[in-house]
Amino acid sequence: MVRRPVVVVDRVPVAGSGGRAPGSGRLARTLTGWGFALPFAVLFLAFTAGPVAVSLFMSVTDLRGTDLLEPFNVNIIGLDNYLRLFGDDKFLTAAGNTAVFVVVGVPLTMVLSLLVALGLNSGLVRFQTFFRVGYYLPVVTSIVAISVVWRFLLQPETGLANEVLGLVGVDGPNWLNNPTFALPTLIVMGAWRNLGFGMVIFLAGLQAIPKDLYEAATIDGARRFAQFRHLTVPMLRPTMLFVAVITTIGYVQFFEEPFVMTQGGPLDSTLSLAYHTYNQFGFGNYGYASAMGYVLFVVVVLLSIAWFRLLRNNVD
């Protein structure tokens, strides 16, 4: 019987390990990761999570501006602030105005955005870059500058809108000081201002649809409307969901338009939930305003869930 020689191999440290313990590299990577994440975590806790927790506590108290000097004397009143909202006529008016702004403004903005995107994607429009920039420019323009222009256009006697109506024999109203026309005017302004955002998203969705599908549909004899209904719309469902959710969140919180253009008037016809909440903070009703803010948050969550349920069967 021949015995095979036993070869003894010395253990040599892996190159780059420096002779450290096996777990030391993992620990170093963990510490490095936490080192990068720590600044964000600190800022998030200080400026987001912390204020959210404080405002939630404030919403169940009777905290007012005069109580800030003696914060430990604040009384916890449970859900009284939330129950009080539904007996507040001003809050109900603001909720109704916000509902109208969302129900009318969101579909209007989405339809206009989709139509513009379809036109630019058709290849029949020249200078597409110019039009894309032009439609998107209001999105990145200051609301104050936009409001100044719109107020100039909507002047009752010298504004361009009433001048054009006068050419066809129509006596234009005082758009921003008439309770009947003030909110619809802000809806049109909001749709015009946000049209560019939806256009960019829809244009990206349209360009992601394979051209072969349209060629096959054309060969099968499908007309343009049939292609749009049975091909474009189903393929755009994920894009529609994204635009709908983002636009709805923005419109539920609409604040700049009434704040700059009408200050919530006339006769509270343009008072929104966000603007009413802002006013309550200004009046020093911190507990009541915090409860109002959380109601607004719940509304945003419920509407987002509704959009997901409406379109989820076609979004995969």
Side-chain angles (χ1 to χ4, degrees):
M1 180 177 181
V2 179
R3 294 183 179 180
R4 295 181 179 179
V6 178
V7 179
V8 178
V9 179
D10 294 334
R11 294 183 178 178
V12 180
V14 178
S17 65
R20 293 177 295 180
S24 61
R26 182 180 303 173
L27 177 60
R29 290 193 297 271
T30 301
L31 293 176
T32 301
W34 277 108
F36 281 110
L38 188 60
F40 167 78
V42 171
L43 293 175
F44 177 79
L45 291 174
F47 296 103
T48 302
V52 167
V54 172
S55 63
L56 181 60
F57 172 74
M58 289 168 55
S59 70
V60 296
T61 68
D62 59 353
L63 181 66
R64 295 183 58 83
T66 56
D67 298 326
L68 294 178
L69 299 177
E70 300 179 355
F72 296 103
N73 293 332
V74 175
N75 298 316
I76 297 178
I77 59 175
L79 299 178
D80 287 359
N81 284 329
Y82 294 92
L83 297 176
R84 176 185 165 192
L85 290 173
F86 299 98
D88 184 350
D89 292 338
K90 210 173 188 68
F91 172 80
L92 297 177
T93 299
N97 293 337
T98 302
V100 173
F101 196 89
V102 172
V103 171
V104 178
V106 172
L108 178 63
T109 304
M110 292 184 63
V111 170
L112 293 177
S113 300
L114 181 58
L115 290 176
V116 173
L118 287 170
L120 293 177
N121 191 59
S122 65
L124 302 177
V125 179
R126 300 180 62 184
F127 310 109
Q128 292 192 19
T129 302
F130 170 78
F131 285 105
R132 291 180 187 179
V133 172
Y135 281 116
Y136 192 75
L137 194 59
V139 179
V140 296
T141 303
S142 168
I143 182 62
V144 176
I146 291 176
S147 299
V148 170
V149 174
W150 274 77
R151 289 181 68 90
F152 178 76
L153 295 176
L154 297 173
Q155 290 293 322
E157 297 180 357
T158 60
L160 181 61
N162 285 350
E163 289 287 344
V164 172
L165 291 176
L167 295 177
V168 294
V170 177
D171 187 14
N174 191 342
W175 298 97
L176 297 177
N177 292 319
N178 189 316
T180 303
F181 295 101
L183 185 59
T185 300
L186 293 189
I187 292 174
V188 172
M189 175 184 170
W192 171 82
R193 182 192 176 200
N194 294 282
L195 182 151
F197 171 79
M199 175 208 67
V200 170
I201 305 300
F202 278 128
L203 194 57
L206 289 170
Q207 292 177 351
I209 301 176
K211 302 298 182 183
D212 298 344
L213 298 178
Y214 291 102
E215 294 176 0
T218 302
I219 293 174
D220 290 339
R223 297 182 179 273
R224 287 186 175 273
F225 181 76
Q227 293 180 21
F228 173 78
R229 179 182 177 185
H230 299 288
L231 180 58
T232 304
V233 172
M235 296 292 289
L236 277 182
R237 288 296 176 91
T239 306
M240 289 181 178
L241 175 60
F242 177 78
V243 174
V245 171
I246 297 300
T247 305
T248 300
I249 292 174
Y251 279 20
V252 169
Q253 304 176 82
F254 90 104
F255 171 79
E256 295 94 340
E257 291 86 350
F259 178 76
V260 177
M261 298 285 290
T262 62
Q263 292 76 50
L267 302 177
D268 294 334
S269 61
T270 60
L271 183 67
S272 67
L273 282 177
Y275 190 41
H276 188 39
T277 303
Y278 167 82
N279 285 337
Q280 291 302 312
F281 270 108
F283 297 151
N285 300 324
Y286 298 136
Y288 188 56
S290 297
M292 204 176 299
Y294 274 95
V295 169
L296 189 61
F297 168 75
V298 171
V299 170
V300 169
V301 172
L302 292 178
L303 289 176
S304 299
I305 293 175
W307 277 118
F308 274 98
R309 287 187 174 274
L310 180 65
L311 299 174
R312 66 177 180 177
N313 294 331
N314 300 280
V315 179
D316 292 315

